[in-house]
């Protein structure tokens, strides 16, 4: 019932809001029906620090393992906040901070590790690093992981120590953080900047990417997933052995695509959002779905 936002205007910052009257609305008639209650306004619980300069606030990241911990990502620093909720009010105390590892570099994005409560992955220009939030020190560092700035990060939800990155060098890469010298997979994914790349939360052999070339692409990466193929290749028909790579491009958008997300409830549904405000909902092709399930 509590959500985090990063907001902007003349100044920027991060805030936490509480969603009230959820039980009442769930029991009430659907919106638009007679007797349906009006949407309840969000109640602001607190701001994470004071307002900051325009362009400084990047994101607010909620720890999926420790729900009372939030990270606010700024251009030159990342701050860790510990939350406490009382009957009358909520509060946040800053429990740690770490500067950008590059003197003139800035953080661009981050992602909490769903397998390790104290690991936060960060992108600083073209570098990748993971931060141990107990000491606020870098645990893993990959210099020049991409040739240009990194725009997106995502952890494999089913396979620990596996990080997905996307960048302005048109590439999507998968890293084994135990051996980060070279990526275990590198795809020339788009014809321009790759703005996002994400794992399917149910079947991590499926990857979704989007970019400023106005395309959304679905990829198969079964060989490095948590459920690699178990075919007996000596007896298998070569035509039945599917190579990893692109499953299908989606060309429904006319402008740059800046977001692509999987459904949290249906493993085969995803949505994408482009610069002109167009939202497109698509699905994994049935042929690919049955290759995974059968």
């Amino acid at each position: 019932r509590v959500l985090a936002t990063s907001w902007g205007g003349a100044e920027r910052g991060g805030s936490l809001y509480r969603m009230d009257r959820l039980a009442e609305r769930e029991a009430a008639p659907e919106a638009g029906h007679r007797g349906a209650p009006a949407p309840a306004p969000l109640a602001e619980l607190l701001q994470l620090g004071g307002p900051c300069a325009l362009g400084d606030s990047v994101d607010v990241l909620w720890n999926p393992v420790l729900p009372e911990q939030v990270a606010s990502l700024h251009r030159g620093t990342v701050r860790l906040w510990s939350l406490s909720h009382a009957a009358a009010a909520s509060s946040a105390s800053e429990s740690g901070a770490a500067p950008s590892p590059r003197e003139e570099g800035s953080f661009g994005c981050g992602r909490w590790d769903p397998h390790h409560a104290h690991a936060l992955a960060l992108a600083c220009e073209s570098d990748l690093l993971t931060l141990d939030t107990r000491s606020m020190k870098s645990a893993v560092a990959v210099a020049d992981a991409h040739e240009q700035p990194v725009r997106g990060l995502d952890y494999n939800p089913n396979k620990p120590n596996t990080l997905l990155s996307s960048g302005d060098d048109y590439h999507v890469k998968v890293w084994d953080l135990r051996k980060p010298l070279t990526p275990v997979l590198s795809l020339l994914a788009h014809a321009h900047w790759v703005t996002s790349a994400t794992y399917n939360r149910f079947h991590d052999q499926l990857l979704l990417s989007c970019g400023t070339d106005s395309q959304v692409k679905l990829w198969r990466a079964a060989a490095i997933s948590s459920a690699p193929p178990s075919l007996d290749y000596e007896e298998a028909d070569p035509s039945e052995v599917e190579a990893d790579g692109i499953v299908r491009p989606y060309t429904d958008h006319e402008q740059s695509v800046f977001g692509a997300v999987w459904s949290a409830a249906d493993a085969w549904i995803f949505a994408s959002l482009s610069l002109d405000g167009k939202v497109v909902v698509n699905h994994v092709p049935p042929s690919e779905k049955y290759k995974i399930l059968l």
Side-chain angles (χ1 to χ4, degrees):
R1 300 191 180 196
V2 179
L3 60 91
T5 64
S6 179
W7 46 268
E11 296 178 322
R12 300 196 66 175
S15 297
L16 300 186
Y17 289 86
R18 184 181 66 245
M19 295 180 287
D20 293 325
R21 297 166 53 188
L22 289 182
E24 176 185 340
R25 291 192 59 80
E26 290 173 357
E30 293 184 6
H33 289 215
R34 184 175 299 175
L42 294 174
E44 186 178 41
L45 294 176
L46 54 89
Q47 289 188 13
L48 298 173
C52 49
L54 180 63
D56 181 63
S57 179
V58 176
D59 205 352
V60 177
L61 307 169
W62 209 295
N63 190 327
V65 183
L66 300 176
E68 302 305 316
Q69 192 172 78
V70 174
S72 60
L73 190 60
H74 305 266
R75 292 298 177 190
T77 187
V78 57
R79 293 187 173 94
L80 195 65
W81 304 87
S82 298
L83 309 179
S84 60
H85 302 288
S90 298
S91 63
S93 58
E94 186 173 336
S95 55
S100 166
R102 288 194 177 195
E103 186 174 341
E104 297 184 358
S106 60
F107 291 117
C109 56
R111 181 76 68 174
W112 284 102
D113 188 341
H115 305 284
H116 302 100
H118 304 286
L120 175 63
L122 298 166
C124 180
E125 302 298 340
S126 60
D127 298 346
L128 294 179
L129 67 143
T130 63
L131 194 68
D132 185 335
T133 56
R134 292 167 295 189
S135 63
M136 299 304 288
K137 302 293 185 181
S138 175
V140 176
V142 185
D144 296 319
H146 286 256
E147 294 182 4
Q148 296 187 42
V150 179
R151 284 184 174 258
L153 298 171
D154 194 25
Y155 275 98
N156 188 318
N158 304 321
K159 187 177 181 181
N161 302 305
T162 305
L163 183 67
L164 177 68
S165 64
S166 55
D168 284 0
D169 59 355
Y170 314 167
H171 279 75
V172 169
K173 298 183 180 183
V174 179
W175 304 87
D176 183 340
L177 296 177
R178 298 166 298 182
K179 298 176 290 182
L181 293 179
T182 57
V184 295
L185 177 68
S186 180
L187 300 169
L188 181 57
H190 289 263
H192 208 251
W193 302 342
V194 187
T195 54
S196 174
T198 59
Y199 277 103
N200 185 295
R201 292 301 183 239
F202 302 89
H203 306 287
D204 59 276
Q205 55 266 68
L206 295 177
L207 309 178
L208 189 65
S209 69
C210 63
T212 52
D213 58 358
S214 76
Q215 292 199 38
V216 177
K217 293 185 178 181
L218 179 66
W219 303 87
R220 181 193 309 111
I224 58 171
S225 71
S226 62
S230 57
L231 288 172
D232 186 340
Y233 287 93
E234 294 182 357
E235 299 180 3
D237 185 338
S239 64
E240 296 179 358
V241 180
E242 289 282 348
D244 285 348
I246 190 166
V247 174
R248 179 184 167 183
Y250 295 81
T251 57
D252 307 282
H253 292 279
E254 298 176 355
Q255 294 193 27
S256 299
V257 185
F258 282 95
V261 294
W262 291 98
S263 167
D266 190 318
W268 314 111
I269 301 293
F270 58 89
S272 53
L273 173 66
S274 56
L275 181 63
D276 56 1
K278 183 178 181 180
V279 176
V280 177
V281 178
N282 263 308
H283 60 83
V284 176
S287 58
E288 188 68 21
K289 172 181 176 180
Y290 294 130
K291 288 173 188 174
I292 294 173
L293 294 179
L294 301 179

